[in-house]
Every structure is written in structure tokens, then in C-alpha cells.
Amino acid sequence: SGGRPLPEHAQQARRLPSSGTAPTAAMPDENVTEGLSGSKDGEAARQKMQIKSFTAWVNLHLKQAGMAVENLKTDFGDGIKLLRLVEIISEEELGKYNQNPVSKFQKVENLNIPLKYINSFLKEIGIRNTYSAENIIDEDMTLILGMVWSLILRYNVADISEGDKTAKEGLLLWAKTKVEEVSKGEVKVSNFHNSWQDGLAFNCLIQAYRPDLVQYQKLNKSAKVDNLNHAFDLANDKLEIPKLLDATDMVSMRPDEKSVMTYVSFFWKVFAANKRKKIAAERITNVLQRELAYRDLMEQYKLNGEQLGRWIKLKTDFFEAEPNCNSQAELEVEMKKHVMEYGRGEKPTKLNELNDLEALHSSITSRLASLGRTFIPTEDTSLKVLNRWWEELTYAEQAYEANLRLKLKNLKRVEYYIKLHHSKASKLEDWLGDKERWLGKPADAAANGAAAAPPADADETPPAGPVPRKSSFVGMLKSTGSSFGNRAASPEADGEGAKPTMVDMKALEKVASPPTPKGQRASKGVKVVPLHDGPSESVADVQAKLNMLTAHNEELSGRQATVPELDKLLAKIGELGCPPMRQFSLTNRTSVIKERIKDLEALGTESEQRLREEYAHQQKMDEMRLVFAKKAEALNRAMEERVDTFSEIFVVDTVAEAEQQVAEIDGYRESLEALQCDLDAIAAYAEEMGSMRISRNPYSRFGMPDLLAHMSRCEAALEARQVSVQEALAHQQQIDATKKAFAAAADAILEFVKAERAKLDEVAPPGLVIQPDDTAAIEKGKAMGSALDALMAPDAKEGRDAKLLPAQELSDKLMEAAELDNPYTAQTIMTLKTQIDLLDKVLRDKRSFVEGQLARAQAEITSEQYEEIKKVFYHFDKSKDGLLNQLEFAAAIKAMDFEIADHEQQPTFLRFAKEGQRAEEPAAMTIDLSGFTTFVLQQYKDNDTKDTLFAAFETARRRRRRAATPPEGAGPHAEAGRE
């Protein structure tokens, strides 16, 4: 891409399949990986790899403008990103452009700006093409890649020099030298594709300049992907070289030369810049070390000042707050802590820190003054502010200590009244607990009420800590989700006929009547049986409970007289200065008792309502049990019949029979849906029974779990039948598809054999005769021989044999399935193998025929000489199109040690140039391999005269002198290259 358009015959060669007849001379490297550029798949893989690396290169520069491309084929279409890319890498302004192009004309205008700049330097880098806006708008991927490669050549590769080499050759020589120095000749670098495929060369290149990052000897040479990723990660993380290549692509196919060359050029630039960075770093080291020392001192002052300031503020806030002590013991502990720990330990230490901070401030000020600078700390760390805060702390701690002493004196006077209040409240709470459990209050709510009364003897002081206030009794019922509490707050919340919550009364007794703690009076030692202990069995049971509830209401009225006495005790405790938290605890306990009394009244009212509803409920229960039993019996019988039908055995021998079975599944599913509707109706009826608290049914053999299990068995049987039918259908379809696939594979093999025979006739036409004096015929015969050798190579043979693999696999599958007849083809695997074997025989016969013709006609040049001629020709064929231009021809003849004067080079080139080209355009003329071979043969025929011998010695002398004298201004790379 970006170079001269390929001739028609070269384009045809590139379109050949991987087992085509392209001559081996087009692939000079022996280590050729799968995916050569000569095949369609290989060309596509190469282009894919090139797109990846070129996209990464473009985005590396575009990120400076906050842009990126995702698709090279389309993202340059409006010209904006291409223009910004050229401006960034060239560091030049290209002018105004349409920032929001809509029409094609505006996009072409934008594209023409950067393309004009690109086309201006193409000849300088050896590219004869020019690019137009239509190429990009038409999304010509080949020319777009060529354009990006032109930018890479101009700004990434062209400025690389290594002696008198070209940019590419210089880069290759530099890499080769450094890699061989590190590996001691074990790793060879001869190109920009296969030599880099195992990752060793990249790692050696990094080690040459950064031996601290990698050791080549420790790498596993067979782990190619790991080696590549190791080098790519090091380059990206340590050298800031972007990841332009993908390790998997590098190993799975022949690497793209341009992508590898682009990536290697980044190494050259990074390592060339290291020396300049080192010199610049040394210049500022001394100044930086001095400034770092001053900065550390100032940071230390700031850190110490901020820590001391935070401590002073924290302690000041603590002393200004009210002491959090609610008992005499807590106050005594706090007083001791304040005197012993703070006054004698913590405060003197912080005072020393303040003195040290003042000394550090003086040291920093004097050092900066010698440089004519001033040290100004932050406001919060200045000595003036810190000293002012220290004085405020001293005032706050003195006030805090005086407050502690006053509180300790007042707390001793309120303990007596607290004990008296505790005694009266505990008796009332015990009675309330018994009644709450009797009326069926939820266990967690009863426990919350008991928690308000901490255990204590009449002889013991109640706990000094606060008693946590709970929410109101009704609120606690709501928070626990009790059905009784919810109905009391909102009778319609659960809807008409909602099922009441059934409380486990045994568990409730364990929670509501926990073991009595030491010192707490037990509630008369009588076990409380809840009023609603399970559902009532008869109307008489309900009436007895109503009578018990009437007696409870009379007792409640007498117990309420204790509440005013508790209020009078609270008033006296408050007058004596009880701590707020303890006073709050006592007040909260009294409030909870009042709320529990109110809630107990509400529970009595609710219990009466529930008992009256239970009376009517008992009459309806038997009727519903009988209706459910009849419906369940009929549905169970129908489901058993469906299970028998779905489980019947079936046999299919054809696709049509299997499809008929599949069609019957829909009918079965409709019948099952009808049963599901019946089951849903019974489930709804069972739910209604549940709302009536009907938990058992002596009239029915089946409950809802039984019916649901029977329905699950029906569904499972239908699903199993559907799976079996689908498997039978899939098996029949798979056998039929395999037969068709084998027929298609057989046709493909026959077409391949036919095409290969036609190619053989094209490469080596029947009746070929090569005359000894016919140089053109000899060269053509050699080309035929090379082409036939390529077709006889092991990889080509393996490629032909591989054509049989798909058909072989399909044939094996049919044999395993005992399917021997195939109505879609008459071919078998044996007849296909015979066709491939006949193709190999024809190839061998043609090669023998061509070798015989060449042996008789070739008398003046050996096969080794001819191979050397081809190697030199394809080495200097930079465009890889089988042609040499005048510059490439001149370099090739010098490589073969032929000396031709400068004024004779153009006439010689024109004399052997390809026929059919116009001599008036020498710059556009080329020479092919045949013409180059004829030129070399003519040189071999020259006589060794006295003049030619002297000229040979003079040439050798001049070359040795040039090798001994390095070019002016050449660096260490030139010395390494000369060695």
C-alpha cells in the first residue's frame, strides 16, 4: 500500500489460494508462517494486523487533541481527524477547515488540506503514488493504509540513520547489532517479520539498553506468546512505548513488516533520547536535593503543627462539653482520669511538642534567610495561633474540673428516691407482664416492656446507667408486625376475612417470661396460659373466654391507682438535680408503664372482638372442608390419566414421523393447561379456607401439596416426552445434514482437482521444448521448475491432503451411524483419495519432464548461480511486484560485485529493461527476473583481460579504504556496522 500499483500478473498471483502455484522466489524467507501475503487469507490477516497497529499509532497522536479513531476505513471520511493528525505529527498549522462538514463537497475540501501536505513529501520517501480525497471517501482500505504508512515513514522511520544505510536498512542493522550483542549471536535478526515472531528479539533489544528490566537467558524460547507479551508490557510500562502489536497475531500468522518496523522504530527513538534525558537530569540534581531538604523541614513543621493544633482543638471541645456521667462511680472515675492521665502525662508531653515546634520554626527561618527567602507557615500552624489556642485549652480544662466536683455532690442526694421509684414500678410491671402474656401480646413487645425495668433488690442500688426508652406499646406492636396490633390501628389493613396471625404460645411464654434475674421478684411463680392459646374447638370454649375477659377488666381499674404515686416521686427526683440521662430514664420508664396500661385496655377490647368473630367462624368451617374434598378427588383422577398418556412409548424412523410427534405435543400441552386452570381454582378455594384458619380436613385424601406434586409430575412427564421427541427429530435431521455436507465436500474436492490440473497445464504446458541457445526459454523453464518445486513441497502436499479432512470426518460420522447410502452423491472417501493421488502423480511427471529439458538446454550456468541471482533480485525488489526500477537495479548489481560507471548505468538498464515499455520514460521503466538473469550471464561471459583484472584490483582497494575511514560525524552505530 502507498507504493506503485501491482501489475496484473502480480495481482493474480496474490489472489491465488494458499496452495496455489506462486513461485517460491516471491517468498525469500525459509521460515514462512501460515498466512502468507500471497494468499487471500494471509493477505486479509496481514491487513488486519496492519489495521490494528496503524490504528494504535494514529490514536497515540490523536489523543493529544482528545480524539480517537475506531475504524480507519470510515473515521477519516470528513477530513477532521486526518487534518488534526497531520498537524500534530508535523507540528504545523495547515489552515482553516470546515468543523462541521455535512456535504460531500465540504468533506472533500477538508481532506484536500492534509492530503496536499502528504503528497508533497511522498517522493522524498520513495513513494510514487499520490492520494486523493475520493480514495478516502470511497473507503479504499488499501490506499488508506498506504497513506498512514506514508506518515509513519516520514515521521517515525525516515529520520533514523545508521551509517550510509537507508532508514529501513539502518533500523534493521541497529536492531540486528543490539540483539546479537545481547544474545551472543543466538538470536538472528534478518527482517522485520519472522525474525521477531518468537519475542526473543524484542526482549534482547530491551536488555541491550535496560538490563535491569529483562534477562534474555531466563526466557522460554518455545513460549512465543509469553515472550511477546513480556516485551510489550515492559515497553509500555517502563519505556512508554505504546502497544502497537498483538502477541497472538504475531504468532498465528506471518507478521506484517510495516507494523513491526513501526513498533521497532519507537525503541530506536526512546533509547536515542535516554542519553539526553540523563544529562538534563544531572544538571538539576544538586538544586533539587537542596530544595527537597528545605521542603522536608517545612513539611515536618506543617505536619507537627497540624497534629498539635488538632489535639488542642479536640481537647478544648471535650472540656467545653458537659461531662457524660450519670452516676457517682462514673464521676469519680472521670475525675481520677482527668488528674492522673491528662494533667500529669498527656498535657506535659504536648507542651514539649509546642516547644520543639518553636525551635524548628527558628531553624527554618534562619536557613531560608541566608537565601533571601522568608518562611511563612499556614495560619493554623503559626506560633501565634497555636499559643492562643493553648491558653483557651487551659481555661476550658479548669472549668471542666469544677463542673465535675459539683455534679458529684448533687448525685448522692437522689439515690434514695430512685430506689423507691424502682420498687413500686417493678411490682406494677410484673402484673402488666402477666396480663400482656395472657392476652397474647407478641413476645418481642412484652420483652421490650420488661427491659424498661432493670433488675435490682430493695437492698441494692439500681443501675446508674440510663434505661433506653422504647417506642409506645402500639408502636412496638406495629414494628413487630403483630396481626393484632395492625388490626387495632387499621382494621381494614389486611382486607375482609384476612387470616389472623397464629402465635406459638409456648415460645411466647419462654420469651415473655424469661428466667428471673438475681434480686428480681418473680411473678407469683404461676405459669400464665394465654387467653388465645390456639383456636377454639367449640362455641362453649369461646363463651368461657368472654367471661374471663370481663373479670380482667375489673382488676385493671384497681391497678391504675399506682401511676399517680410514681409521678410524685419523679417530681422530687427532678427538684434534687438528678442527671438528665438518669431522669430521662426514670421518666421514660414511667411513661412506658402508662402506655402499657393503655395498650392493655386496647388488647382487651381487641380480644373481645376476636372472640365474637370466632363464634361465627366455627359454623362455616365444616362446609368448606367437604367442598374441597370433592374437587380434589376429581382433579387427581384426571392428572393420573394424563401422566399415563405422556409416558407412552413411541418409535420414529423418519423426519416426518418425528415432526408428527412434535405436533402432538401442542395438543397435550392444551389439555395440561386446562388441568392447571382447575388446579388454580382449587388453590384459590384452599387459600380462602386458610383465611378461615382451616388447617386440617378429615374429608379429603389430598391436600394442596399433594395436588401440586401431581401437577408437577404431569408437567415433568410432558417435558420428558417433548425432549425425547425433539432428540429423535434432531438425530434424523443431523444424519440428513451430514449426508448433504459430505456431498458438498466431495464436489469441492473434485473442483479443486480440476482447478489444480488447469494450473499445472498453465505452469508447464504440454509439449514444452527448451533449446540450448534460447535464453528466454531456459529462464522460463527455470521458473516452471521453481513453481513445480513449490507445488511439490511438503506444505503444499499437506495442503492438498488437507482438502480430504472435512470429507473424511463426515464419512466417519456416517459410518458410525451405520448410514451407508447417500442419495446426494455417488462419491466415496476412497474415490476422492484416488483423485488427489492422481493429481500428485501428474505433478511429479511434469517436474521430471521440465528437469530433463533444462538439463539438456542449460550448459553455462549452475543451479547455485541461478539461486544466487534470484536471491539478490528479490532482496532488492522493495515493492515485491517482481520488477526492479533503475535505483533497485543499480543496488542489485553492486551487491553482486559488478562495477558499472555512473554514465553507463542508465543505458545498461534500458538495454535489459522489460519489453513493451517506452524508452522515453526511463523513470517508469522496470526490469524483470529474466532480464536481470540475462545481464548477469553476459557479465559472466566477459573475458578476463589485463584491463579488467587491473580494474578489479582498483575496486577492491577503494572499498577497503572506504571501510577503514568512517563517515564524518558517524557515531558508535557506524563503528558497530563497520565491524
Side-chain angles (χ1 to χ4, degrees):
S1 61
R4 190 169 56 251
L6 295 176
E8 180 60 25
H9 71 278
Q11 296 177 4
Q12 293 175 355
R14 297 180 77 171
R15 289 193 293 267
L16 291 175
S18 59
S19 59
T21 60
T24 57
M27 298 175 288
D29 298 296
E30 296 177 359
N31 183 21
V32 178
T33 308
E34 180 182 0
L36 295 178
S37 59
S39 66
K40 288 183 177 178
D41 294 339
E43 181 67 16
R46 181 197 66 79
Q47 189 180 76
K48 181 179 179 182
M49 182 178 182
Q50 197 173 97
I51 290 172
K52 278 186 180 179
S53 60
F54 283 13
T55 301
W57 182 86
V58 169
N59 286 332
L60 175 66
H61 297 289
L62 279 182
K63 70 179 181 180
Q64 300 179 28
M67 295 182 177
V69 298
E70 296 180 0
N71 189 337
L72 289 177
K73 193 172 184 179
T74 59
D75 288 1
F76 285 148
D78 60 4
I80 294 177
K81 292 182 179 179
L82 179 59
L83 186 143
R84 294 294 293 123
L85 174 64
V86 174
E87 287 185 337
I88 290 169
I89 61 178
S90 66
E91 298 181 355
E92 296 183 17
E93 294 288 339
L94 299 185
K96 297 181 179 179
Y97 60 93
N98 294 307
Q99 297 185 0
N100 295 299
V102 178
S103 65
K104 180 178 180 181
F105 176 76
Q106 291 175 329
K107 295 178 181 179
V108 169
E109 271 190 338
N110 280 357
L111 287 169
N112 282 335
I113 297 173
L115 289 177
K116 180 180 179 181
Y117 184 87
I118 294 172
N119 290 332
S120 67
F121 61 72
L122 291 181
K123 292 184 179 179
E124 299 176 12
I125 58 176
I127 296 178
R128 298 176 181 174
N129 267 357
T130 57
Y131 304 105
S132 65
E134 287 74 13
N135 298 144
I136 299 176
I137 292 177
D138 294 342
E139 299 181 358
D140 190 331
M141 196 63 197
T142 300
L143 289 177
I144 291 173
L145 290 174
M147 176 192 66
V148 176
W149 174 242
S150 301
L151 293 172
I152 294 173
L153 275 180
R154 176 65 177 83
Y155 292 101
N156 241 62
V157 180
D159 57 348
I160 298 175
S161 63
E162 194 73 17
D164 58 352
K165 304 291 184 180
T166 63
K168 175 183 176 182
E169 292 171 343
L171 184 61
L172 182 61
L173 177 59
W174 169 77
K176 176 180 179 182
T177 302
K178 294 303 175 183
V179 169
E180 291 183 355
E181 285 178 1
V182 172
S183 66
K184 297 181 180 178
E186 293 183 6
V187 180
K188 302 293 183 181
V189 175
S190 59
N191 53 52
F192 282 110
H193 39 85
N194 293 337
S195 295
W196 304 84
Q197 200 167 28
D198 58 5
L200 296 178
F202 286 115
N203 283 281
C204 288
L205 198 58
I206 295 174
Q207 185 176 344
Y209 289 91
R210 290 293 303 275
D212 58 310
L213 297 181
V214 63
Q215 293 185 14
Y216 150 75
Q217 295 80 2
K218 294 185 179 180
L219 297 177
N220 184 357
K221 298 180 180 181
S222 61
K224 297 182 179 182
V225 174
D226 293 340
N227 293 339
L228 288 165
N229 282 327
H230 182 259
F232 295 164
D233 291 341
L234 282 178
N236 184 69
D237 299 339
K238 303 297 183 180
L239 305 178
E240 298 183 356
I241 296 176
K243 290 184 180 181
L244 301 184
L245 302 178
D246 184 89
T248 304
D249 292 344
M250 288 285 293
V251 173
S252 62
M253 64 183 182
R254 181 179 185 268
D256 175 61
E257 185 178 45
K258 295 177 181 178
S259 300
V260 176
M261 189 189 307
T262 302
Y263 188 59
V264 173
S265 68
F266 276 97
F267 285 89
W268 186 89
K269 289 192 173 185
V270 168
F271 293 142
N274 280 343
K275 185 174 182 180
R276 297 191 298 269
K277 292 179 181 178
K278 183 177 180 180
I279 294 173
E282 291 175 351
R283 293 177 179 175
I284 62 173
T285 299
N286 295 331
V287 176
L288 182 59
Q289 289 177 346
R290 184 191 67 196
E291 293 299 322
L292 286 176
Y294 290 165
R295 187 198 66 180
D296 290 342
L297 289 175
M298 289 186 286
E299 287 293 332
Q300 184 64 39
Y301 178 88
K302 180 181 178 182
L303 176 63
N304 294 347
E306 289 177 348
Q307 290 177 348
L308 181 59
R310 284 195 296 270
W311 179 86
I312 293 174
K313 297 294 289 184
L314 181 65
K315 284 298 180 181
T316 302
D317 293 341
F318 173 77
F319 289 139
E320 289 177 350
E322 187 72 16
N324 187 20
C325 301
N326 296 313
S327 68
Q328 179 180 346
E330 291 179 357
L331 280 171
E332 291 174 348
V333 170
E334 179 62 23
M335 193 71 174
K336 182 179 180 179
K337 180 179 178 182
H338 173 72
V339 174
M340 301 298 295
E341 295 182 9
Y342 173 77
R344 299 181 183 180
E346 188 175 6
K347 184 177 180 181
T349 301
K350 294 301 179 180
L351 182 58
N352 291 335
E353 291 181 6
L354 179 59
N355 295 332
D356 292 341
L357 196 64
E358 291 177 349
L360 181 59
H361 181 278
S362 177
S363 175
I364 296 173
T365 301
S366 62
R367 293 189 183 195
L368 291 180
S370 64
L371 300 175
R373 293 155 60 183
T374 305
F375 173 53
I376 302 177
T378 61
E379 181 179 358
D380 290 345
T381 59
S382 66
L383 294 178
K384 180 179 179 180
V385 172
L386 291 176
N387 285 320
R388 188 182 75 246
W389 288 354
W390 188 266
E391 293 177 1
E392 293 174 356
L393 172 62
T394 303
Y395 296 145
E397 70 183 50
Q398 292 172 353
Y400 181 78
E401 183 176 348
N403 195 13
L404 284 178
R405 296 182 185 278
L406 179 62
K407 280 183 172 291
L408 183 60
K409 180 179 179 180
N410 291 336
L411 277 177
K412 294 179 180 180
R413 302 174 59 188
V414 300
E415 296 298 333
Y416 168 75
Y417 292 107
I418 291 177
K419 291 180 180 180
L420 185 59
H421 182 279
H422 171 71
S423 176
K424 292 181 177 292
S426 297
K427 294 177 182 178
L428 185 56
E429 286 169 344
D430 290 341
W431 183 83
L432 288 173
D434 290 343
K435 293 304 178 180
E436 287 169 348
R437 290 191 293 274
W438 181 67
L439 289 176
K441 184 177 182 179
D444 55 351
N448 288 339
D457 277 348
D459 299 329
E460 293 180 1
T461 301
V467 178
R469 174 180 174 84
K470 302 295 180 180
S471 60
S472 68
F473 183 64
V474 175
M476 287 188 287
L477 286 176
K478 293 181 179 179
S479 65
T480 58
S482 168
S483 61
F484 302 148
N486 287 340
R487 271 200 300 273
S490 178
E492 68 280 2
D494 293 332
E496 184 178 355
K499 180 179 178 180
T501 301
M502 302 303 296
V503 181
D504 185 348
M505 301 311 296
K506 293 182 179 180
L508 181 61
E509 289 174 10
K510 293 180 181 179
V511 177
S513 302
T516 304
K518 180 181 178 180
Q520 181 174 345
R521 182 177 56 83
S523 180
K524 300 180 182 180
V526 180
K527 180 179 179 180
V528 178
V529 178
L531 178 65
H532 303 285
D533 186 14
S536 301
E537 298 294 334
S538 64
V539 176
D541 290 342
V542 178
Q543 185 61 52
K545 292 179 180 180
L546 287 171
N547 295 337
M548 295 170 62
L549 190 60
T550 301
H552 157 75
N553 291 333
E554 294 175 356
E555 185 179 5
L556 177 61
S557 299
R559 292 283 181 174
Q560 289 177 336
T562 307
V563 174
E565 298 177 6
L566 295 177
D567 290 335
K568 291 179 180 179
L569 289 173
L570 282 177
K572 290 183 178 181
I573 291 172
E575 292 172 359
L576 292 175
C578 178
M581 291 302 299
R582 296 194 67 187
Q583 186 175 354
F584 173 78
S585 175
L586 296 172
T587 303
N588 183 51
R589 185 176 183 182
T590 304
S591 299
V592 170
I593 291 174
K594 293 177 180 179
E595 290 181 2
R596 290 176 68 182
I597 291 175
K598 293 179 181 179
D599 293 339
L600 194 62
E601 292 176 345
L603 279 176
T605 302
E606 182 181 357
S607 295
E608 182 179 359
Q609 181 182 355
R610 287 179 57 192
L611 290 173
R612 297 192 183 282
E613 291 175 353
E614 185 70 18
Y615 188 87
H617 178 72
Q618 290 292 331
Q619 297 177 345
K620 189 176 179 181
M621 292 171 66
D622 273 3
E623 180 183 352
M624 297 185 73
R625 292 190 182 104
L626 185 59
V627 173
F628 178 87
K630 293 179 180 179
K631 293 182 178 181
E633 189 70 33
L635 180 60
N636 182 73
R637 183 171 59 255
M639 288 191 291
E640 288 179 348
E641 293 174 356
R642 294 298 186 276
V643 171
D644 294 340
T645 301
F646 298 158
S647 302
E648 291 177 354
I649 299 175
F650 68 93
V651 177
V652 295
D653 294 324
T654 65
V655 174
E657 292 177 356
E659 290 175 347
Q660 177 62 31
Q661 289 292 333
V662 172
E664 291 179 358
I665 294 295
D666 295 335
Y668 293 152
R669 196 173 299 281
E670 291 177 359
S671 65
L672 192 61
E673 291 174 356
L675 291 179
Q676 182 63 48
C677 292
D678 295 340
L679 179 62
D680 293 341
I682 293 178
Y685 194 78
E687 185 176 358
E688 184 180 356
M689 292 173 65
S691 67
M692 298 292 293
R693 294 184 295 174
I694 301 175
S695 58
R696 59 187 181 85
N697 190 347
Y699 307 120
S700 176
R701 293 190 302 148
F702 309 105
M704 278 307 300
D706 300 322
L707 297 177
L708 291 172
H710 291 171
M711 178 57 73
S712 297
R713 285 195 289 273
C714 288
E715 293 172 347
L718 180 58
E719 292 299 326
R721 185 177 185 87
Q722 183 175 9
V723 171
S724 299
V725 170
Q726 291 293 348
E727 289 177 351
L729 177 60
H731 177 72
Q732 293 297 327
Q733 291 174 340
Q734 183 179 7
I735 293 297
D736 195 62
T738 303
K739 291 179 179 180
K740 292 180 180 179
F742 179 83
D747 293 341
I749 292 173
L750 294 177
E751 289 296 326
F752 169 74
V753 171
K754 181 179 178 181
E756 290 298 300
R757 282 178 174 267
K759 291 176 183 177
L760 287 177
D761 291 341
E762 182 181 351
V763 171
L768 172 68
V769 177
I770 302 175
Q771 298 299 335
D773 297 333
D774 190 350
T775 303
I778 291 174
E779 295 303 323
K780 185 174 181 182
K782 290 178 181 179
M784 293 178 185
S786 298
L788 294 173
D789 286 340
L791 293 175
M792 293 177 67
D795 55 345
K797 177 66 168 63
E798 292 175 0
R800 290 191 291 274
D801 293 341
K803 294 291 184 180
L804 288 170
L805 294 179
Q808 181 69 58
E809 293 177 359
L810 294 171
S811 178
D812 293 344
K813 290 181 180 179
L814 292 174
M815 292 295 292
E816 291 175 2
E819 296 289 338
L820 303 180
D821 61 319
N822 191 340
Y824 302 108
T825 182
Q827 298 294 330
T828 65
I829 192 63
M830 297 306 299
T831 60
L832 296 175
K833 288 182 178 179
T834 301
Q835 292 291 334
I836 296 296
D837 293 341
L838 288 176
L839 179 61
D840 291 339
K841 182 179 182 303
V842 172
L843 179 59
R844 291 193 298 270
D845 293 344
K846 283 188 176 289
R847 181 62 181 119
S848 298
F849 174 74
V850 172
E851 286 179 348
Q853 289 287 326
L854 286 174
R856 290 191 299 271
Q858 189 173 6
E860 297 179 345
I861 186 170
T862 65
S863 59
E864 290 80 6
Q865 289 174 324
Y866 184 67
E867 289 299 323
E868 182 181 0
I869 292 171
K870 291 197 297 181
K871 184 177 180 180
V872 172
F873 179 87
Y874 287 113
H875 175 74
F876 287 92
D877 179 17
K878 306 299 184 181
S879 58
K880 304 301 180 186
D881 57 0
L883 299 172
L884 299 179
N885 58 30
Q886 185 173 342
L887 293 177
E888 294 169 342
F889 173 78
I893 62 178
K894 286 183 180 180
M896 296 193 70
D897 289 333
F898 294 138
E899 288 290 338
I900 298 180
D902 294 338
H903 65 278
E904 294 180 358
Q905 287 186 4
Q906 182 171 355
T908 303
F909 173 78
L910 296 177
R911 182 152 51 91
F912 293 94
K914 187 178 177 184
E915 296 181 3
Q917 298 177 342
R918 294 186 298 172
E920 59 269 25
E921 296 179 3
M925 298 185 69
T926 56
I927 186 171
D928 56 14
L929 178 60
S930 176
F932 183 75
T933 304
T934 303
F935 164 79
V936 175
L937 288 175
Q938 186 176 23
Q939 299 302 313
Y940 287 157
K941 290 179 180 180
D942 290 343
N943 296 326
D944 293 329
T945 63
K946 176 180 178 180
D947 295 336
T948 58
L949 186 58
F950 283 151
F953 275 111
E954 179 64 16
T955 300
R957 183 182 64 81
R958 288 197 302 269
R959 290 186 177 179
R960 184 168 184 178
R961 178 178 299 172
R962 285 197 302 270
T965 305
E968 183 177 355
H973 295 300
E975 289 293 329
R978 186 170 69 255
E979 290 173 1

